[in-house]
Amino acid sequence: MLQLKIVSPERIEFTGEVESVKVPGTQGNFEILSGHAPIISTLMKGVVEYAGTQLPILGGFVEVQKNQVSLCVELEED
């Protein structure tokens, strides 16, 4: 399991355990699973997918370290 935390400038969007996270990286979409190598990457406009949820974003950053996934994102306005 992964420990996921998603924050935006306005609030904490999500914190909890998930099986996987799909993110829109600047070099293409990629999926983070348990045991993923440490990485820091920029994110572009797209959709973050986790636990059956789709979160539209304008961009941000992702960091993966020892099954801890942290996303700092700018959300798309409704």
Side-chain angles (χ1 to χ4, degrees), residues 18-78:
V18 297
E19 293 279 334
S20 68
V21 183
K22 293 181 183 175
V23 295
T26 52
Q27 300 295 314
N29 293 347
F30 64 95
E31 185 172 17
I32 301 163
L33 300 168
S34 184
H36 196 286
I39 187 175
I40 296 175
S41 178
T42 54
L43 302 176
M44 57 187 275
K45 183 176 180 176
V47 176
V48 175
E49 296 181 42
Y50 62 95
T53 301
Q54 293 190 335
L55 181 68
I57 65 166
L58 294 174
F61 296 90
V62 61
E63 178 183 16
V64 180
Q65 186 90 1
K66 296 181 182 175
N67 291 330
Q68 303 274 332
V69 181
S70 301
L71 277 80
C72 180
V73 298
E74 182 179 353
L75 298 177
E76 251 188 29
E77 296 296 323
D78 291 334

